[in-house]
Amino acid sequence: MIVITGGAGFIGSNFVHHWLAERDEPVVVFDALTYAGNLGNLAPVESDARFSFVRGDITDREAVERLLAQKLPRAIVHFAAESHVDRSIRGPLAFLKTNVEGTFVLLEAARAYRAQCAPPDRESFRFLHVSTDEVYGSLHPADPPFCETTPFAPNSPYAASKAASDLWVRAYIKTYGLPALISHCSNNYGPYQFPEKLIPLMIHHALENRPLPLYGDGAQLRDWLHVEDHCRALVAILERGRVGETYNVGGGNELTNRAVVETVCRLLDQLRPRAQGSHAEGIAEVPDRPGHDRRYAIDTGKIEHELGWKPRETFASGIEKTLTWYLDHPEWVRNVTTGTYREWLDIHYGTGRSERSAPA
Ligand code: NAD
Ligand code: DAU
């Protein structure tokens, strides 16, 4: 069986669905259920005999050790993280705790667990650390895309915490021979994404006739990848990746934020039109994110050549599917957009947004 940390979040839950649709091997999700973790994301598999859930925090060494001793996994796929850049700017400490200390605890527990495995299991054990393209920093317009040897230059507390965790994983590979692999992926979109992130936030706001807040000039570039393609890449890395290697994953869809939001509005105009005018009339430029990275782009040559992976979705096909999913699941959106979600909107998008700062 495999352990999936953070499996109640956006990508982790999509990974669980993808895994169980394709293979018989059981999974156990280990997740603290923070504001971003939601058991509703796993509802379609809750009665599947191959699925189990353990609530726990990756910074809790005892809980992690107990999990490994009881479940005897052949692999850990590590998604658990604080993942939202804006939250990292307002409160960086949680990012240091979960992303760095939590990863350290997992690495230590995995090292100890593996040491007492029988030699064949010790050899075949894998630790897949799911990381981000944001560790590489920001590109200028004419720069080549990020490749696996691009030096780290993280700019946000989130990116710094992910870069730090990546370096801890690297140290455990080099020093202790931990059979780990690292992936660096670009911006994901798809079902079950918490509506604090650009695409689901814009869908949710448009449907509620609220302003669509575009940071700065909206000309920042991101490379968008449908989450299902990311999951396929992760399975390929886990099963066929070379131990100790890193793999960059991206969609080849470099788009400005404004173009993404306009596409969402155009599709909503067809699928859920406003009484009058276009949803795009709601677009409102708001103060920029501090330290906002201008451009990310990914060179996917390595994973394509070594592992034969390529994205299947174009942005046009993926965004239409995604919009349809959100429109078909209003109860999911309702469940995750109460309470603390509304507090976040008030703090972050309310009046005084640019002056406010949160304690660490
Ligand atoms: P998410 O915020 O949707 O989910 C994170 C999950 O981790 C939640 O279920 C949460 O409850 C859990 N979690 C948080 N702290 C925990 C802790 N201390 N112990 C146990 N569980 C904890 O995040 P996501 O967007 O699904 O991202 C998953 C991973 O993929 C992250 O490591 C992120 O850095 C990486 N990543 C995300 C993207 C993206 O576009 N979303 C792109 C590349 C890489
Ligand atoms: O690149 C991979 C990263 O992508 C992941 O590692 C992160 O976990 C994930 O959150 C994402 O980070 P971004 O900061 O790129 O995603 P976000 O959806 O927050 O923002 C995407 C872009 O849209 C970014 O340039 C900021 C902008 N934006 C975002 C929000 C929430 C807006 O203009 N308005 C908004 O309200």
Side-chain angles (χ1 to χ4, degrees), residues 8 17 19 59 67 84 97 106-107 175 260 276 280 338 348:
H17 298 306
W19 184 270
T59 62
L67 175 86
H84 190 33
K97 284 286 276 178
L106 276 179
L107 288 168
T175 306
V260 169
Q276 270 194 327
T338 52
H348 189 59

Side-chain angles (χ1 to χ4, degrees), residues 4-14 29-39 41-42 53-60 64 78-84 94 97-99 102-103 129-134 158 161-162 165 183-189 192-194 196-197 223-225 227 230 234 249:
I4 301 177
T5 73
F10 162 48
I11 307 175
S13 62
N14 275 283
V29 166
F30 185 76
D31 196 298
L33 297 181
T34 67
Y35 79 93
N38 177 9
L39 282 179
N41 297 356
L42 296 164
F53 177 79
V54 175
R55 186 169 188 177
D57 193 313
I58 55 166
T59 62
D60 179 347
V64 172
H78 175 34
F79 293 96
E82 290 292 338
S83 68
H84 190 33
K97 284 286 276 178
T98 287
N99 299 1
T103 300
H129 178 64
V130 181
S131 191
T132 171
D133 59 356
E134 299 203 9
Y158 163 70
S161 69
K162 291 298 288 188
S165 68
S183 64
H184 295 286
C185 188
S186 63
N187 286 64
N188 282 217
Y189 66 99
Y192 302 114
Q193 186 167 31
F194 194 72
E196 64 186 353
K197 307 285 166 61
D223 172 16
W224 293 94
L225 180 72
V227 65
H230 187 190
L234 292 172
V249 185

Side-chain angles (χ1 to χ4, degrees), residues 212-239:
L212 310 179
L214 200 56
Y215 297 164
D217 63 2
Q220 303 81 9
L221 287 154
R222 296 288 182 272
D223 172 16
W224 293 94
L225 180 72
H226 192 271
V227 65
E228 182 73 17
D229 278 324
H230 187 190
C231 294
R232 288 177 40 252
L234 292 172
V235 171
I237 296 169
L238 181 67
E239 303 300 14

Side-chain angles (χ1 to χ4, degrees), residues 29-266:
V29 166
F30 185 76
D31 196 298
L33 297 181
T34 67
Y35 79 93
N38 177 9
L39 282 179
N41 297 356
L42 296 164
V45 294
E46 69 188 353
S47 55
D48 190 313
R50 298 165 301 163
F51 168 76
S52 58
F53 177 79
V54 175
R55 186 169 188 177
D57 193 313
I58 55 166
T59 62
D60 179 347
R61 173 92 190 245
E62 259 180 49
V64 172
E65 282 178 351
R66 202 166 44 243
L67 175 86
L68 299 184
Q70 282 171 359
K71 303 290 182 180
L72 305 176
R74 74 162 177 98
I76 298 174
V77 185
H78 175 34
F79 293 96
E82 290 292 338
S83 68
H84 190 33
V85 172
D86 293 320
R87 287 185 192 255
S88 83
I89 294 167
R90 289 182 180 275
L93 183 60
F95 289 72
L96 181 66
K97 284 286 276 178
T98 287
N99 299 1
V100 186
E101 188 185 330
T103 300
F104 166 74
V105 166
L106 276 179
L107 288 168
E108 270 294 273
R111 179 165 82 94
Y113 166 69
R114 187 172 164 263
Q116 49 78 51
C117 285
D121 296 340
R122 198 178 306 152
E123 279 314 300
S124 60
F125 181 79
R126 294 288 180 272
F127 185 104
L128 172 52
H129 178 64
V130 181
S131 191
T132 171
D133 59 356
E134 299 203 9
V135 299
Y136 299 123
S138 185
L139 293 167
H140 293 290
D143 286 343
F146 301 133
C147 62
E148 287 77 1
T149 52
T150 303
F152 281 11
N155 292 317
S156 70
Y158 163 70
S161 69
K162 291 298 288 188
S165 68
D166 296 353
L167 295 178
W168 276 95
V169 175
R170 180 189 155 91
Y172 272 62
I173 295 167
K174 298 284 178 193
T175 306
Y176 303 115
L178 187 77
L181 305 103
I182 301 175
S183 64
H184 295 286
C185 188
S186 63
N187 286 64
N188 282 217
Y189 66 99
Y192 302 114
Q193 186 167 31
F194 194 72
E196 64 186 353
K197 307 285 166 61
L198 182 72
I199 289 178
L201 182 122
M202 293 297 169
I203 298 171
H204 179 54
H205 277 213
L207 293 176
E208 294 210 330
N209 275 324
R210 286 200 257 164
L212 310 179
L214 200 56
Y215 297 164
D217 63 2
Q220 303 81 9
L221 287 154
R222 296 288 182 272
D223 172 16
W224 293 94
L225 180 72
H226 192 271
V227 65
E228 182 73 17
D229 278 324
H230 187 190
C231 294
R232 288 177 40 252
L234 292 172
V235 171
I237 296 169
L238 181 67
E239 303 300 14
R240 305 194 299 282
R242 282 185 293 137
V243 165
E245 291 292 314
T246 66
Y247 293 90
N248 284 357
V249 185
N253 294 305
E254 248 193 89
L255 294 165
T256 64
N257 294 336
R258 188 180 294 280
V260 169
V261 177
E262 284 173 351
T263 302
V264 168
C265 291
R266 203 166 40 249

